[in-house]
Amino acid sequence: GLGKASMATSAFARVDCASFNDPHARSLALTTFVLIEMLNALNAISEDESLLSVPPWANKWLLAAVCAGVLQQALILSLPPIAALFEVAPLSPSEWAVAASLSMPVVLIDEAFKWRRRRTRTERAKSDTGTNMHPHKP
């Protein structure tokens, strides 16, 4: 209880929290989260099928919405009055690349889950039809 709370407090006492007030750091973090959510939306095109077999352009409305979301994020960061309202700052192309690279693992993780679901479904189908059973020897 109280001992754990004081240990956590003392551990965070050494953390420099100034970065939480830095609009640039906030912009990079927020952009990373936005890109993660946009990629999650694309992953949701199919619950089980890979993005390689059901590509993003299979749902043009979703693809348009994802593009609009990324464009909106870019506009929020780039237009000074809106950036001031959200307390964010513009990102350089290399910082956008960093945000994109930090976001990409969500696609790989979801693809791994989809692969596992497909594999499990196939194994269950085989066992239900008896193709996975071996005849007993007398």
Side-chain angles (χ1 to χ4, degrees), residues 23-39 64-92 95-97 99-100 103:
H24 202 83
R26 189 179 304 117
S27 300
L28 186 56
L30 181 62
T31 300
T32 301
F33 288 130
V34 166
L35 294 177
I36 286 171
E37 289 308 316
M38 296 299 106
L39 291 170
V66 167
C67 290
V70 174
L71 178 62
Q72 181 180 14
Q73 177 67 13
L75 290 173
I76 288 170
L77 297 177
S78 302
L79 297 175
I82 300 174
L85 179 68
F86 286 95
E87 298 179 350
V88 293
L91 296 178
S92 70
E95 290 166 328
W96 273 94
S103 304

Side-chain angles (χ1 to χ4, degrees), residues 18-120:
S19 63
F20 294 126
N21 296 320
D22 178 12
H24 202 83
R26 189 179 304 117
S27 300
L28 186 56
L30 181 62
T31 300
T32 301
F33 288 130
V34 166
L35 294 177
I36 286 171
E37 289 308 316
M38 296 299 106
L39 291 170
N40 270 331
L42 291 175
N43 276 332
I45 287 177
S46 173
E47 186 175 340
D48 294 326
E49 297 303 317
S50 170
L51 278 174
L52 298 174
S53 61
V54 183
W57 51 88
N59 184 333
K60 290 180 179 22
W61 289 107
L62 178 61
L63 188 58
V66 167
C67 290
V70 174
L71 178 62
Q72 181 180 14
Q73 177 67 13
L75 290 173
I76 288 170
L77 297 177
S78 302
L79 297 175
I82 300 174
L85 179 68
F86 286 95
E87 298 179 350
V88 293
L91 296 178
S92 70
S94 63
E95 290 166 328
W96 273 94
V98 167
S101 67
L102 291 172
S103 304
M104 290 308 279
V106 74
V107 173
L108 300 175
I109 292 167
D110 200 44
E111 286 294 315
F113 283 134
K114 288 178 180 185
W115 175 82
R116 180 67 183 147
R117 279 194 299 270
R118 286 191 307 272
R119 186 170 172 215
T120 302

Side-chain angles (χ1 to χ4, degrees), residues 1-10:
L2 189 57
K4 287 182 182 179
S6 70
M7 285 181 3
T9 303
S10 65

